Amino acid sequence: MKTSFITLLFFSFSVMLLAQENMINDTLTRTATITYKIKANTVEFSAVTPPLNQIAGAPKAFYNHFWEFGDGDYSKEEKPLKKYKKEGEYEVKYWATNMYDTGKPPTTRPEKLKIDTVEGTYNEEASMTEDLTLIRNREPMPSEDMVIVMSYKNSKTYATNGKLLLYFNEAKYKADNFELVDSRTYHNEKNSPVDGFVFSKEKNEDTRFYASSESSIQYIKAIVSDTTEREDLELTKAEAETTYKNTKALEFSNMKPNEERHVFFTFKTTP
């Protein structure tokens, strides 16, 4: 087993403040309810969402959907069909985000379900075309939560270990815009100290990725090293630590060739 690269993920958000006269606060609490039908280890999910309140003159209102299935998988479909690999109890989470609607996003209670029977062959669905991606489930307003999914893939031909670094909250801003309230891992990723990483001075033909999202978390830039020019990982890490105030570090191990994994982070946006 070989040791993989350290991946650096940086993200920041531009905040636009909108003001108008006679601002009306939405005090109505709306809820969405998870519903599902189980057949062996296949589950058909849907959600009962509250009516939308159309913004006058805007495009037709609709919901964006985000499901976290409790086994390290997720979906953006409205009514996903999920097949579980193993028997057991899973906690499913759901977020509905209202678009072109005058109210707040509905809240949803997690739902626990139990898989008692596994039928048929389970095939892992390889969906990643990149070694590393970041997505978010919504554009949060102040005091709302947001889920960040860090997905990573082993494109090597051998099993590998490695480290992941997530940087957030730019140091140039006095206030923290995001508070990390929960991390959910499904492949035995372990919390790791930020310091104490070992840097290889050896140059080789392996591909090393140094990723950063700039104005948007969905824009990820990868710098590929070669034998003549390579990014200085130690310098990159040092620069990140002066740019950002907060860091989340994880170690992963025994990642099989072509395997894909997802880590889920819930952030609360501050008032």
Side-chain angles (χ1 to χ4, degrees):
M1 184 179 297
K2 300 186 179 181
T3 300
S4 179
F5 48 81
I6 297 174
T7 300
L8 306 178
L9 299 180
F10 317 134
F11 74 86
S12 59
F13 297 88
S14 299
V15 178
M16 181 181 296
L17 301 179
L18 302 179
Q20 67 178 30
E21 294 181 1
N22 300 322
M23 182 68 74
I24 299 174
N25 292 324
D26 179 12
T27 58
L28 179 64
T29 300
R30 299 190 292 177
T31 60
T33 304
I34 296 172
T35 63
Y36 60 90
K37 297 178 182 178
I38 301 178
K39 184 177 180 180
N41 55 323
T42 300
V43 185
E44 180 182 346
F45 288 101
S46 60
V48 180
T49 53
L52 291 161
N53 300 314
Q54 178 70 45
I55 295 177
K60 185 179 180 179
F62 64 93
Y63 280 110
N64 280 333
H65 308 272
F66 186 87
W67 298 85
E68 187 178 330
F69 296 124
D71 67 340
D73 198 7
Y74 69 93
S75 175
K76 293 182 177 180
E77 297 179 7
E78 181 179 357
K79 297 180 179 181
L81 190 66
K82 166 66 179 174
K83 188 171 185 178
Y84 285 91
K85 183 177 182 179
K86 300 177 181 178
E87 297 175 358
E89 192 173 85
Y90 298 92
E91 183 174 83
V92 178
K93 297 178 173 65
Y94 170 71
W95 290 263
T97 303
N98 45 325
M99 310 298 293
Y100 306 114
D101 174 83
T102 59
K104 295 178 181 179
T107 60
T108 307
R109 286 181 177 274
E111 187 75 24
K112 288 186 177 181
L113 59 87
K114 189 175 182 181
I115 300 298
D116 295 318
T117 305
V118 173
E119 293 182 353
T121 303
Y122 183 90
N123 296 318
E124 298 282 355
E125 295 184 7
S127 59
M128 294 179 64
T129 57
E130 305 289 339
D131 292 64
L132 175 71
T133 62
L134 282 175
I135 68 163
R136 58 175 174 253
N137 70 330
R138 64 166 50 142
E139 297 280 358
M141 297 294 288
S143 297
E144 291 178 358
D145 64 350
M146 169 182 64
V147 177
I148 301 293
V149 184
M150 176 198 295
S151 302
Y152 61 106
K153 178 179 180 178
N154 180 17
S155 59
K156 309 294 184 183
T157 57
Y158 48 82
T160 184
N161 301 331
K163 302 178 190 292
L164 300 166
L165 292 175
L166 179 67
Y167 291 89
F168 57 98
N169 284 328
E170 290 179 274
K172 65 181 178 180
Y173 298 113
K174 183 177 180 180
D176 289 345
N177 291 320
F178 304 97
E179 177 188 356
L180 179 58
V181 296
D182 189 27
S183 302
R184 297 176 295 286
T185 61
Y186 296 92
H187 295 87
N188 206 33
E189 293 95 343
K190 303 291 186 183
N191 289 326
S192 173
V194 177
D195 297 325
F197 286 157
V198 176
F199 297 92
S200 173
K201 303 299 182 183
E202 178 183 341
K203 291 186 178 181
N204 54 47
E205 296 293 340
D206 284 350
T207 299
R208 297 172 184 267
F209 292 93
Y210 306 90
S212 65
S213 62
E214 295 181 348
S215 59
S216 168
I217 198 169
Q218 294 172 314
Y219 173 72
I220 296 182
K221 175 178 61 181
I223 301 173
V224 182
S225 71
D226 56 30
T227 55
T228 59
E229 180 181 355
R230 61 182 281 185
E231 187 79 2
D232 189 325
L233 176 56
E234 205 161 359
L235 181 61
T236 304
K237 180 173 174 289
E239 182 180 358
E241 289 172 355
T242 61
T243 304
Y244 295 88
K245 292 186 285 186
N246 303 106
T247 313
K248 178 68 175 179
L250 295 171
E251 293 187 37
F252 62 89
S253 61
N254 196 30
M255 193 175 187
K256 299 176 182 178
N258 209 42
E259 183 181 355
E260 300 176 6
R261 297 178 178 178
H262 309 292
V263 180
F264 299 81
F265 301 98
T266 298
F267 285 88
K268 186 81 171 180
T269 54
T270 58

